[in-house]
Amino acid sequence: MNWYEYLIIVAAALFVVGVIVWRIVRKVQGKGGCDCGGNCSGCGGCSACRENRPRKEEKSKRLQ
């Protein structure tokens, strides 16, 4: 292997690590996969927030 092949491998590895660190930092800051501002209880449009909450129709069926 030549020196430039090593350089390409190192650059690709650093890019992958950088993306992983960037995603972790954004998740810790509350800027994860949705744009609800970190207030998932008041978010009606975020699919990430709606997965854990039952829909209104399901909730009303349970009460009957």
Side-chain angles (χ1 to χ4, degrees):
M1 290 182 90
N2 293 329
W3 65 270
Y4 59 86
E5 293 172 328
Y6 288 117
L7 183 64
I8 292 171
I9 292 170
V10 169
L14 287 174
F15 178 76
V16 170
V17 169
V19 168
I20 291 171
V21 168
W22 177 70
R23 289 185 54 109
I24 291 171
V25 167
R26 286 190 47 87
K27 185 72 171 175
V28 168
Q29 290 176 347
K31 298 177 182 175
C34 66
D35 194 23
C36 62
N39 184 13
C40 289
S41 62
C43 178
C46 181
S47 62
C49 301
R50 285 186 280 143
E51 289 177 332
N52 296 330
R53 293 189 305 188
R55 293 183 179 158
K56 289 182 181 179
E57 298 88 30
E58 293 173 359
K59 200 173 193 180
S60 64
K61 287 180 184 177
R62 289 184 192 170
L63 294 175
Q64 292 177 356

